[in-house]
Amino acid sequence: AQKVTQAQTEISVVEKEDVTLDCVYETRDTTYYLFWYKQPPSGELVFLIRRNSFDEQNEISGRYSWNFQKSTSSFNFTITASQVVDSAVYFCALSEAGTGNQFYFGTGTSLTVIP
Amino acid sequence: EPEVTQTPSHQVTQMGQEVILRCVPISNHLYFYWYRQILGQKVEFLVSFYNNEISEKSEIFDDQFSVERPDGSNFTLKIRSTKLEDSAMYFCASSVGMGGTEAFFGQGTRLTVV
């Protein structure tokens, strides 16, 4: 079974629009960690954010914000006023305390921001 | 800013040949990983390494694969006899600790087996 599901395969938005990338996870561990990584066209994986299962506070960092809801097992990522440089593949990932530090990645959402 | 570096960025090899992918993790990190990403697919865990031994490995990491930390700075992934299906982007990562610590990834090595 998929531990991390990113149902949106591809999204296109026009510059300055807001966009939300969905992530739904599945785990039986009570202690777990959620991450978002960005993969620009150059191919590297860039760490964006980490959340642990005990901290449901939403977080805002500039134009980025994350909404963690344990009740729906979701960890969604919103980009406000999108820019062309936001075009990338975004991966949500899960790490469970019971399995060390192995990351389970979702299949990624490819975001294209059209100028 | 410290970063994970990988060499080479792209390697082409013939089927059946051995390849070694190299990584220099961030210097104060203690945990090291290899992941791979087949083109257009998700990133998959291969192996984690701590205290000079494998701490966890996936089903993908069979006897064809091995990892080594030959000195204080390098971390290598060896594929003994490459197959066409080994073609992928291979990412090295490192982290300070376990338990959900964020991992920092290198820029990847694109391996093409022909």
Side-chain angles (χ1 to χ4, degrees), chain B residues 36-68:
Chain B
R36 79 170 186 191
Q37 184 184 29
I38 294 172
L39 188 63
Q41 299 186 23
K42 66 179 176 183
V43 179
E44 300 174 293
F45 170 77
L46 293 178
V47 66
S48 59
F49 191 86
Y50 169 71
N51 200 26
N52 281 320
E53 59 183 27
I54 291 173
S55 50
E56 204 175 346
K57 61 182 181 179
S58 72
E59 292 176 354
I60 303 168
F61 194 88
D62 60 22
D63 292 344
Q64 281 243 95
F65 293 89
S66 62
V67 289
E68 193 178 33

Side-chain angles (χ1 to χ4, degrees), chain B residues 19-22 34 46-47 61 65-68 75-79 90:
Chain B
V19 294
I20 297 177
L21 310 183
R22 302 180 192 280
W34 284 100
L46 293 178
V47 66
F61 194 88
F65 293 89
S66 62
V67 289
E68 193 178 33
F75 179 51
T76 62
L77 173 70
K78 182 191 291 185
I79 308 175
Y90 287 82

Side-chain angles (χ1 to χ4, degrees), chain A residues 1-7 22-36 51-56 67-76 92-96 104-106:
Chain A
Q2 292 283 347
K3 286 185 179 282
V4 178
T5 301
Q6 294 180 255
D22 298 333
C23 173
V24 174
Y25 62 91
E26 180 184 332
T27 180
R28 292 182 180 177
D29 278 27
T30 54
T31 302
Y32 54 90
Y33 308 86
L34 297 163
F35 304 81
W36 277 94
R51 260 287 174 270
N52 71 53
S53 52
F54 302 111
D55 182 3
E56 281 195 76
N67 183 0
F68 176 27
Q69 293 201 337
K70 287 177 78 169
S71 60
T72 55
S73 297
S74 65
F75 186 44
N76 297 337
C92 180
L94 166 74
S95 170
E96 298 166 318
Y104 299 94
F105 282 84

Side-chain angles (χ1 to χ4, degrees), chain A:
Chain A
Q2 292 283 347
K3 286 185 179 282
V4 178
T5 301
Q6 294 180 255
Q8 303 151 308
T9 308
E10 295 180 5
I11 300 177
S12 291
V13 297
V14 177
E15 202 170 18
K16 297 183 183 172
E17 285 184 349
D18 299 347
V19 59
T20 295
L21 310 182
D22 298 333
C23 173
V24 174
Y25 62 91
E26 180 184 332
T27 180
R28 292 182 180 177
D29 278 27
T30 54
T31 302
Y32 54 90
Y33 308 86
L34 297 163
F35 304 81
W36 277 94
Y37 283 84
K38 174 182 180 179
Q39 187 176 41
S42 47
E44 71 272 25
L45 286 165
V46 179
F47 166 76
L48 295 178
I49 190 170
R50 166 187 181 271
R51 260 287 174 270
N52 71 53
S53 52
F54 302 111
D55 182 3
E56 281 195 76
Q57 271 193 335
N58 291 332
E59 177 148 342
I60 299 174
S61 175
R63 295 184 298 107
Y64 295 170
S65 63
W66 291 270
N67 183 0
F68 176 27
Q69 293 201 337
K70 287 177 78 169
S71 60
T72 55
S73 297
S74 65
F75 186 44
N76 297 337
F77 173 29
T78 298
I79 302 174
T80 303
S82 58
Q83 300 176 0
V84 173
V85 293
D86 296 328
S87 296
V89 181
Y90 290 86
F91 290 96
C92 180
L94 166 74
S95 170
E96 298 166 318
T99 54
N101 211 27
Q102 177 184 160
F103 281 32
Y104 299 94
F105 282 84
T107 49
T109 297
S110 177
L111 174 66
T112 302
V113 181
I114 303 164

Side-chain angles (χ1 to χ4, degrees), chain B residues 16-39:
Chain B
Q17 295 295 305
E18 173 184 287
V19 294
I20 297 177
L21 310 183
R22 302 180 192 280
C23 169
V24 178
I26 295 173
S27 61
N28 64 330
H29 286 187
L30 300 176
Y31 296 82
F32 315 114
Y33 315 86
W34 284 100
Y35 286 78
R36 79 170 186 191
Q37 184 184 29
I38 294 172
L39 188 63

